[in-house]
């Protein structure tokens, strides 16, 4: 949850374009960045991938299981990974594909 919150704060701080009409290439062709610095087009998806990897790693740690039974461990891990995956894909793909 901390990683997701940090990514939300980062996204708000970067102030990406949220409307196609605000893209620098609106009405033309070519690729434009939704961020003011084009380097974030590579860094942002890498951060999303790192967050997803951290969630998967956390679910594999025995301390995360906290005395739960096998079924609850699998259900909790599946839910955590799916939420992180859907959030990463929905936010990342939609945001980064906006001006392309």
């Amino acid at each position: 949850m901390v990683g997701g919150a940090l990514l939300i704060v980062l996204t708000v701080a970067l102030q990406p374009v949220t409307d196609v009409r605000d893209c620098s290439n609106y009405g033309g062709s070519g690729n434009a960045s939704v961020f003011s610095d084009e380097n974030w087009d590579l860094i942002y998806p890498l951060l999303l991938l790192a967050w997803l990897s951290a969630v998967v790693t956390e679910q594999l740690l025995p301390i995360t299981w906290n005395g739960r039974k096998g079924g609850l461990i699998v259900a909790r891990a599946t839910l955590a990974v799916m939420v992180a995956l859907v959030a990463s894909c929905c936010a990342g793909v939609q945001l980064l594909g906006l001006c392309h």
Side-chain angles (χ1 to χ4, degrees):
M1 290 196 320
V2 173
L6 289 174
L7 281 170
I8 290 170
V9 169
L10 176 67
T11 304
V12 170
L14 290 174
Q15 299 177 345
V17 171
T18 56
D19 188 15
V20 175
R21 293 172 293 206
D22 294 333
C23 292
S24 62
N25 66 343
Y26 181 68
S29 60
N31 292 330
S33 177
V34 293
F35 303 109
S36 58
D37 182 6
E38 293 179 1
N39 291 327
W40 283 104
D41 282 346
L42 176 62
I43 297 169
Y44 192 75
L46 291 176
L47 288 174
L48 291 174
L49 183 61
W51 175 52
L52 182 60
S53 299
V55 170
V56 170
T57 302
E58 177 189 9
Q59 297 309 312
L60 295 173
L61 296 174
I63 196 165
T64 307
W65 304 338
N66 200 19
R68 294 180 177 93
K69 302 287 185 204
L72 287 176
I73 293 170
V74 171
R76 183 177 185 272
T78 302
L79 181 64
V81 170
M82 291 305 295
V83 166
L85 181 64
V86 168
S88 292
C89 288
C90 289
V93 170
Q94 185 176 9
L95 182 65
L96 294 173
L98 189 66
C99 293
H100 292 282

